[in-house]
Amino acid sequence: MEGKEPTRARLAILASGSGSNAEAIMAHFADHPAVEVAWVGSNRKGAGVLERAERHGVPASTFSRQAMQEGELLRELAERRIDWVALAGFLLQVPAEVVDVYTGRMVNIHPALLPAYGGPGMYGHHVHEAVKAAGEPRSGLTVHWVTEQYDEGAIVFQAEVDLDPADDADQIAQKVLQLEHAYYPSVLEGLIAGWAERLPDGQPKSGT
Ligand code: GRF
């Protein structure tokens, strides 16, 4: 055998819905030399994201809110030796024990320019309706570290898109979603690369 295969960082995606961001991430990292999407987890049986994972050959499974709160999510992440977690439309609050273990290795994407239009109740269409009602000239995306409070972790990256006064909430949602697909995978790639470089031997240590 020639040399040693480098270890790829193992990324998990948590999603509750359609999973178009998850799909953009899986497509981006297919055959990637440094990052592997190793698991898609969802709290919703029948969520669109599960089918997308299957199409990409990524293992996927579901868990209930209660099981998650009783430690199942952390167990899954540990058993699957997950290094990084990307939330992509995951609607449950991540348990404190998971936040603790993955501090600095878990990010969320929010479909607005935080700190505006964030916090409890500000998810999915509610965000875009509020942006529309306020007559904002632009919206965008925010990638931020996950903490125990909704949408409050430090901001890692933002990108903006101009809105037309005629745009309705659906059109705003579409514009922002396109931006999310364009940026989230490469933001993750950059974060994970920076992390891997800081490891003592330059190799991800799965599950630590
Ligand atoms: C995205 O707009 C994301 O920012 C938000 O939920 C939506 C998920 O969409 N957190 P999808 O399931 O990735 O299509």
Side-chain angles (χ1 to χ4, degrees), residues 10-12 38-39 77-78 80-85 102 105 207:
R10 294 172 65 79
L11 171 67
W39 183 49
L77 295 169
R80 293 173 188 273
R81 294 174 290 109
I82 299 300
D83 298 302
W84 276 78
V85 180
Y102 284 93
R105 295 182 293 147

Side-chain angles (χ1 to χ4, degrees), residues 30 39-40 42 79 82 84 95 132 148 154 166-167 181 183 191 193 197:
W39 183 49
V40 167
S42 181
E79 271 168 26
I82 299 300
W84 276 78
K132 172 68 187 167
E148 284 172 51
D167 288 340
H181 299 164
Y183 283 105
L191 288 172
E197 263 172 32

Side-chain angles (χ1 to χ4, degrees), residues 7-199:
T7 313
R8 293 193 289 169
R10 294 172 65 79
L11 171 67
I13 303 171
L14 300 182
S16 303
S18 147
S20 68
N21 274 288
E23 176 137 33
I25 296 166
M26 290 186 285
H28 183 87
F29 289 118
D31 303 319
H32 192 279
V35 180
E36 172 183 9
V37 180
W39 183 49
V40 167
S42 181
N43 60 306
R44 284 241 186 101
K45 290 203 168 80
V49 71
L50 299 169
E51 208 183 296
R52 294 187 199 252
E54 196 180 339
R55 257 192 279 126
H56 283 265
V58 172
S61 53
T62 57
F63 47 84
S64 68
R65 179 199 294 256
Q66 191 183 336
M68 177 184 80
Q69 286 163 347
E70 290 170 1
E72 184 171 329
L73 177 55
L74 190 55
R75 271 197 303 280
E76 282 276 3
L77 295 169
E79 271 168 26
R80 293 173 188 273
R81 294 174 290 109
I82 299 300
D83 298 302
W84 276 78
V85 180
L87 307 189
F90 185 62
L91 295 179
L92 300 183
Q93 192 142 10
V94 177
E97 64 194 11
V98 178
V99 174
D100 272 1
V101 170
Y102 284 93
T103 294
R105 295 182 293 147
M106 177 161 55
V107 288
N108 180 41
I109 189 162
H110 185 79
L113 296 169
L114 291 175
Y117 308 106
M122 276 293 170
Y123 62 88
H125 225 248
H126 301 289
V127 176
H128 307 299
E129 303 277 5
V131 167
K132 172 68 187 167
E136 295 285 1
R138 65 188 65 84
S139 189
L141 71 86
T142 302
V143 177
H144 64 92
W145 297 111
V146 175
T147 65
E148 284 172 51
Q149 307 304 318
Y150 277 116
D151 303 332
E152 283 190 6
I155 291 171
V156 175
F157 176 85
Q158 292 188 303
E160 296 186 2
V161 62
D162 288 334
L163 301 179
D164 189 291
D167 288 340
D168 62 18
D170 281 341
Q171 288 163 313
I172 297 173
Q174 274 315 310
K175 283 185 173 180
V176 172
L177 202 57
Q178 276 180 19
L179 206 63
E180 294 183 51
H181 299 164
Y183 283 105
Y184 199 19
S186 33
V187 170
L188 285 165
E189 183 172 21
L191 288 172
I192 296 171
W195 165 79
E197 263 172 32
R198 291 191 303 275
L199 293 172

